[in-house]
Amino acid sequence: MAFTNNVMIVRHGLLAKLVKLWKENRLLEEIDRLPIELSPRKSKVRGRCCVHKERAVWKYKTLPLLGFDMQDEEDELTPLSEYAKRALFRSENKKENIMCVVDEACSSCVSVNYEITNLCRGCVARSCYMNCPKDAIRFKKNGQAEIDHETCISCGKCHQSCPYHAIVYIPIPCEEVCPVKAISKDKYGVEHIDESKCIYCGKCVNACPFGAIFEISQVFDILQRLRNKEQMVAIVAPSILAQFSAPKEKVYGAIKSLGFEEVVEVAQGAMETTRHEAEELIEKLKEGQPFMTTSCCPSYVQLAEKHIPDLKKYISSTGSPMYYTARIVKEKYPDAKIVFVGPCVAKRKEVKLDPCVDFTLTFEEVGSVLEGLGIKIEEAQPFSVLFNAVREAHGFAQSGGVINAVKVYLKDENVNAVQVANLTKKNVALLRAYAKTGKAPAQFIEVMACEGGCVTGPCTHADKTAGQKQLIKELTKF
């Protein structure tokens, strides 16, 4: 795996360790000692006050990997083994929230976004002081200004008015990347995710330098059912082509070896999405609708649902590739549990809303599970899917892929299209303007939450840049 930061290494390693203990039937017996094993008494802890704090962080990071969050802890004396037992023997995971913040790990970001540096000259103008609405500026004996952080409200007026640019803005990474202001500090100074605002783009997960933001995982719900020989089918997103440095048949073989009845490509459903979306586009344009947007990105759908309701009438009613693939599988395996395998946090929300899909497994989790079980992809028995989708269907994995597929399907129809790739604050404002005015620069707009499309999703296994290059290479083989 191409790790881009140590947070990913920690998350990957912890899940792989838990899976290994599960495989060896030692999870319930040894999980309580895991934090001690990971942070022994004499170990040097970086970024924490002491080894005991680090052990607490390990404990609470384990909870979301077991399908819980810190809100499920009613008593601090409840051992991890009790949560592991509940995880292995629950009939279903009724958690409503998709993501959570590990309070113990979220402790080192600044409480106020502005700080006065030594560039302050102690000027007579005192513009910072004169423009502060809360009288939060104080002065040292040498005349230099300082901020009273107890009073400051981070309005930024001092920063804007300082003639020497001596006041710096210190961002909070998770808040900085969130395009809809769904994450903010609570009264205790800990970040909190407001799921009534969250669009599950997952940008905050890897932006947090302390690895405090987690998805509520379903790994052990899936593994336990596979161990119990329940019939399960894995439906794998097109961006799987960019995740592992091995032929896709080997990758599918490794996934199937976990105990799945069959592995099906979601690209098969993408062909249905292309057909329905293309026909709907032509129909809407003939009816006089000025433009239509794609509907396959669940994060974008959540954005419209929660923040831009005026945009919903312009979104295609066509189902996502996962939607159609699940129904194809259900025809063949009506009693099977279906597991969507992909790179997306928002897909967890879509799965909760789709009665035909039961669980979500991310590419990142797949990598950890295979390592924990000791399965090497290059040694796996190859598995070929029964239905091979066309190149354009696999192209859904990258930005521009849906536009290309629709244009190929429509052939001679002259439809102009644009991409909105990456749901940043700027692009959200752009979409809001389209909805408000009913005007857009094209008839067909493809919207993806991630900059390069699904291949650069928040839960990928491969490095994003390398993954994009590998995807392009793999698409040439179709």
Side-chain angles (χ1 to χ4, degrees), residues 114-189:
Y114 295 92
E115 193 64 78
I116 300 177
T117 69
N118 287 333
L119 293 175
C120 175
R121 310 307 299 164
C123 67
V124 177
R126 297 187 172 180
S127 301
C128 56
Y129 171 79
M130 298 300 292
N131 287 282
C132 178
K134 292 295 181 179
D135 193 27
I137 303 295
R138 304 285 183 268
F139 294 94
K140 303 176 185 177
K141 290 182 178 179
N142 63 0
Q144 283 189 330
E146 61 181 354
I147 296 174
D148 178 359
H149 289 173
E150 295 295 323
T151 310
C152 179
I153 58 171
S154 291
C155 67
K157 294 193 181 302
C158 59
H159 171 72
Q160 297 163 10
S161 62
C162 177
Y164 289 103
H165 303 288
I167 303 175
V168 295
Y169 171 72
I170 306 172
I172 297 175
C174 60
E175 294 183 10
E176 194 79 356
V177 298
C178 180
V180 292
K181 298 182 179 180
I183 187 164
S184 59
K185 289 186 182 295
D186 61 18
K187 62 181 180 181
Y188 302 107

Side-chain angles (χ1 to χ4, degrees), residues 200-230:
Y200 314 110
C201 61
K203 295 179 186 296
C204 60
V205 174
N206 294 318
C208 175
F210 293 91
I213 304 174
F214 276 75
E215 305 164 72
I216 307 295
S217 178
Q218 297 178 318
V219 163
F220 290 97
D221 298 271
I222 296 167
L223 289 178
Q224 196 68 5
R225 283 164 175 76
L226 290 171
R227 173 176 279 177
N228 294 336
K229 306 298 183 184
E230 292 187 30

Side-chain angles (χ1 to χ4, degrees), residues 208-459:
C208 175
F210 293 91
I213 304 174
F214 276 75
E215 305 164 72
I216 307 295
S217 178
Q218 297 178 318
V219 163
F220 290 97
D221 298 271
I222 296 167
L223 289 178
Q224 196 68 5
R225 283 164 175 76
L226 290 171
R227 173 176 279 177
N228 294 336
K229 306 298 183 184
E230 292 187 30
Q231 190 181 50
M232 302 184 80
V233 176
I235 58 174
V236 187
S239 46
I240 189 71
L241 297 177
Q243 300 307 305
F244 301 94
S245 300
K248 68 172 185 174
E249 291 78 14
K250 288 276 190 179
V251 177
Y252 294 155
I255 294 173
K256 191 174 187 303
S257 70
L258 298 178
F260 287 103
E261 180 78 20
E262 192 173 337
V263 176
V264 178
E265 290 181 330
V266 172
Q268 184 175 352
M271 294 175 68
E272 283 298 297
T273 296
T274 301
R275 181 172 67 85
H276 285 284
E277 196 142 73
E279 292 172 358
E280 184 181 358
L281 174 62
I282 297 303
E283 181 183 334
K284 290 290 178 66
L285 293 179
K286 286 181 178 178
E287 291 174 354
Q289 184 170 302
F291 66 92
M292 188 184 84
T293 77
T294 55
S295 58
C296 53
C297 176
S299 186
Y300 166 56
V301 172
Q302 288 294 308
L303 172 70
E305 190 71 35
K306 296 178 178 179
H307 299 277
I308 319 177
D310 290 342
L311 192 59
K312 290 195 287 185
K313 60 187 175 184
Y314 299 110
I315 299 177
S316 167
S317 61
T318 297
S320 70
M322 183 195 81
Y323 173 90
Y324 292 112
T325 306
R327 279 141 188 85
I328 292 169
V329 171
K330 277 295 184 183
E331 287 184 11
K332 185 176 180 180
Y333 301 103
D335 299 322
K337 298 289 186 184
I338 297 179
V339 180
F340 173 82
V341 184
C344 183
V345 175
K347 226 51 176 177
R348 295 189 186 276
K349 183 66 175 179
E350 185 181 348
V351 166
K352 283 182 177 289
L353 299 173
D354 191 330
C356 289
V357 189
D358 301 279
F359 300 103
T360 309
L361 190 65
T362 68
F363 292 148
E364 184 180 20
E365 289 172 337
V366 168
S368 298
V369 167
L370 293 178
E371 181 177 318
L373 296 178
I375 297 174
K376 296 182 179 179
I377 293 177
E378 60 272 16
E379 298 175 3
Q381 184 71 29
F383 175 79
S384 297
V385 294
L386 297 176
F387 182 91
N388 288 297
V390 297
R391 180 179 185 271
E392 288 76 20
H394 289 279
F396 269 55
Q398 61 185 345
S399 58
V402 184
I403 288 175
N404 181 58
V406 168
K407 282 190 171 183
V408 169
Y409 182 87
L410 292 175
K411 295 180 182 177
D412 299 326
E413 292 284 350
N414 186 21
V415 175
N416 62 329
V418 296
Q419 302 172 34
V420 177
N422 195 8
L423 287 181
T424 60
K425 294 171 183 175
K426 180 179 179 181
N427 281 337
V428 168
L430 190 68
L431 291 168
R432 187 173 278 113
Y434 293 165
K436 185 177 181 180
T437 62
K439 297 178 181 179
Q443 297 166 309
F444 188 44
I445 303 174
E446 178 192 288
V447 186
M448 294 285 184
C450 301
E451 188 172 5
C454 303
V455 69
T456 62
C459 307

